């Protein structure tokens, strides 16, 4: 179904979780149709307990309510380690698509990576793994509820991502477990973003989050219905708002899924816009964003059922090679370097 006035469909996952094989395939076909047309969907009936969502939301709000000096204590000591607190305007998502002169994003954010690593598994002890799977930075001294709430939320998102990837496999006419060995040791980051009130107008061309595509397989977003929200770029070049459905998550495909499918599925440009000037105060908006990223050594190349009779558009790459390229583009900005050196 479509939410009134929206190009983004709302899909109920209840039958994908509890239904027959035929019912699961029906939901998968709906997911596939959204993936081909707009690359975004909203999912209800996902099974994530509301108390888990509420706890993560409340703990995150308390974190961002801290004085700036306290939040700064949870910055990473090494700019190469993508963990902990990042201050206002240190990110620049538009730079990842090569936009010259892109303005920094008017948001602050906190990054958490995987925490459930098995030290006996050689996969987590390679040089690449030691670089990726860094220790998290937890604000225990100021918000002790943050760590347990975010861990619970991360685990729920990982389970939902597995279900969504199974539906993707079914939609692509692959075995239901085709992606399983490519995501069982995923390298997902959970990014909690805070878009503050805007009592004053920003610089010309500056947004809460500049236009970009996401990097990985898919993204699971929980956000708030506040002035100044998420917009998606349609095929005819129009920016359209993504609906905020109570109790539902927004899902979008990332660049790796587009490459896997030889662009049969789309990774769509999106942005977070500023509130109308008259609504700048009271527009504070918070998002929990689960950037599901396949295993670092997962090979991303054209899926066998895609582009039949056509040549692959992309050379094979790996999950980590692509992620490194995108992160280097975002981090190679004057504002990021200035803040990290402070």
């Amino acid at each position: 179904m479509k939410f009134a006035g929206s190009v983004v469909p709302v899909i109920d996952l209840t039958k994908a979780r509890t239904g027959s094989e035929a019912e699961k395939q029906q939901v998968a076909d709906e997911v596939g149709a959204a993936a081909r047309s707009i690359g975004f969907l909203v999912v209800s009936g996902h099974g994530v307990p509301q108390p888990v969502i509420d706890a993560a939301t409340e703990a995150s709000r308390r974190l961002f309510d801290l004085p700036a000096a306290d939040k700064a204590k949870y910055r990473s000591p090494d700019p190469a380690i993508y963990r902990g607190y990042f201050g206002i305007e240190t990110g620049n998502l538009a730079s990842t698509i090569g936009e010259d002169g892109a303005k920094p994003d008017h948001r602050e954010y906190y990054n958490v990576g995987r925490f459930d690593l098995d030290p006996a598994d050689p996969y987590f002890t390679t040089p690449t793994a030691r670089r990726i799977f860094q220790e998290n930075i937890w604000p225990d001294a100021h918000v002790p509820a943050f760590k347990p709430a975010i861990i619970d939320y991360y685990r729920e998102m990982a389970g939902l991502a597995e279900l969504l990837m199974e539906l993707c496999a079914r939609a692509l006419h692959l075995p239901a477990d085709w992606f399983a060995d490519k995501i069982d040791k995923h390298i997902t980051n959970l990014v909690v973003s805070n878009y503050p009130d805007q009592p004053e107008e920003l610089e010309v061309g500056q947004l809460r989050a500049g236009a970009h595509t996401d990097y990985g397989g898919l993204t699971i977003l929980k956000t708030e219905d506040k002035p100044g929200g998420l917009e998606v770029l349609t095929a005819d070049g129009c920016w359209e708002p993504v609906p905020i459905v109570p109790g539902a998550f927004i899902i979008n495909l990332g660049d790796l899924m587009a490459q896997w499918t030889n662009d049969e599925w789309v990774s769509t440009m999106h942005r977070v816009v500023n509130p109308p000037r008259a609504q700048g105060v009271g527009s504070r908006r918070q998002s929990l964003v689960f950037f599901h990223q396949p295993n670092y050594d997962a090979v991303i190349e054209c899926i066998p059922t895609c582009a039949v009779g056509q040549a692959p558009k992309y050379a094979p790459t790996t999950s980590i090679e692509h992620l490194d390229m995108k992160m280097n583009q975002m981090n190679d900005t004057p504002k990021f370097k200035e803040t990290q050196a402070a």
Side-chain angles (χ1 to χ4, degrees):
M1 62 172 287
K2 289 281 182 69
F3 198 77
S6 175
V7 298
V8 177
V10 180
I11 299 174
D12 187 342
L13 298 183
T14 302
K15 291 182 179 178
R17 296 187 296 110
T18 63
S20 65
E21 286 296 306
E23 289 171 328
K24 291 178 181 179
Q25 187 62 49
Q26 181 180 4
V27 177
D29 290 342
E30 293 180 43
V31 170
R36 289 181 178 86
S37 63
I38 190 66
F40 270 74
L41 57 147
V42 174
V43 296
S44 61
H46 45 70
V48 178
Q50 190 62 44
V52 172
I53 301 171
D54 293 342
T57 300
E58 173 60 23
S60 298
R61 188 170 298 277
R62 289 171 58 193
L63 170 68
F64 289 120
D65 282 343
L66 293 173
D70 288 337
K71 287 183 286 191
K73 295 174 182 177
Y74 301 108
R75 283 171 38 185
S76 171
D78 182 348
I81 298 176
Y82 192 56
R83 293 287 185 272
Y85 177 72
F86 293 80
I88 198 79
E89 297 186 354
T90 55
N92 193 326
L93 288 167
S95 66
T96 65
I97 59 170
E99 185 176 314
D100 293 334
K103 305 289 186 183
D105 303 321
H106 193 70
R107 66 172 179 135
E108 58 183 337
Y109 57 103
Y110 203 97
N111 183 70
V112 174
R114 285 196 70 159
F115 44 81
D116 55 348
L117 309 182
D118 179 1
D121 187 337
Y123 189 87
F124 296 116
T125 60
T126 67
T128 299
R130 285 196 294 271
R131 176 170 66 88
I132 298 170
F133 298 114
Q134 296 286 339
E135 290 289 329
N136 282 305
I137 300 171
W138 299 109
D140 294 337
H142 290 89
V143 190
F146 184 82
K147 179 177 180 179
I150 291 299
I151 284 177
D152 287 347
Y153 186 85
Y154 189 107
R155 286 174 172 151
E156 290 290 341
M157 292 301 98
L160 177 56
E162 288 181 10
L163 172 63
L164 291 167
M165 293 299 284
E166 177 186 326
L167 292 172
C168 288
R170 291 175 182 272
L172 291 165
H173 308 292
L174 298 165
D177 63 352
W178 193 86
F179 287 108
D181 64 352
K182 302 164 185 64
I183 63 170
D184 59 340
K185 297 172 182 174
H186 61 87
I187 58 174
T188 299
N189 285 314
L190 172 62
V191 178
V192 187
S193 291
N194 183 60
Y195 304 95
D197 279 355
Q198 292 185 12
E200 299 177 358
E201 193 167 4
L202 302 184
E203 292 185 48
V204 175
Q206 186 177 26
L207 297 174
R208 283 180 152 175
H212 64 285
T213 58
D214 288 351
Y215 318 152
L218 55 83
T219 300
I220 306 174
L221 167 67
K222 183 269 175 188
T223 191
E224 298 176 303
D225 191 4
K226 295 289 185 67
L230 181 64
E231 293 184 342
V232 61
L233 186 64
T234 63
D236 57 1
C238 296
W239 287 103
E240 296 286 347
V242 178
I244 306 299
V245 179
F249 292 107
I250 297 168
I251 312 297
N252 66 276
L253 303 185
D255 296 341
L256 289 188
M257 189 62 78
Q259 292 189 208
W260 247 330
T261 61
N262 216 40
D263 286 340
E264 287 188 13
W265 288 10
V266 293
S267 176
T268 303
M269 199 84 70
H270 52 285
R271 65 187 186 181
V272 182
V273 298
N274 301 324
R277 203 60 250 126
Q279 296 177 287
V281 176
S283 67
R284 178 184 177 181
R285 185 173 184 270
Q286 186 173 285
S287 297
L288 300 170
V289 198
F290 189 79
F291 293 106
H292 193 240
Q293 183 82 19
N295 302 357
Y296 64 75
D297 58 353
V299 177
I300 313 299
E301 58 186 350
C302 186
I303 288 172
T305 57
C306 296
V308 176
Q310 300 179 34
K313 295 181 180 180
Y314 303 96
T317 187
T318 64
S319 172
I320 189 58
E321 287 171 348
H322 186 268
L323 180 61
D324 281 344
M325 180 266 293
K326 287 289 189 177
M327 292 302 297
N328 288 338
Q329 287 175 329
M330 185 175 73
N331 294 345
D332 190 26
T333 60
K335 183 68 175 180
F336 181 88
K337 292 177 178 177
E338 169 193 323
T339 305
Q340 293 303 303

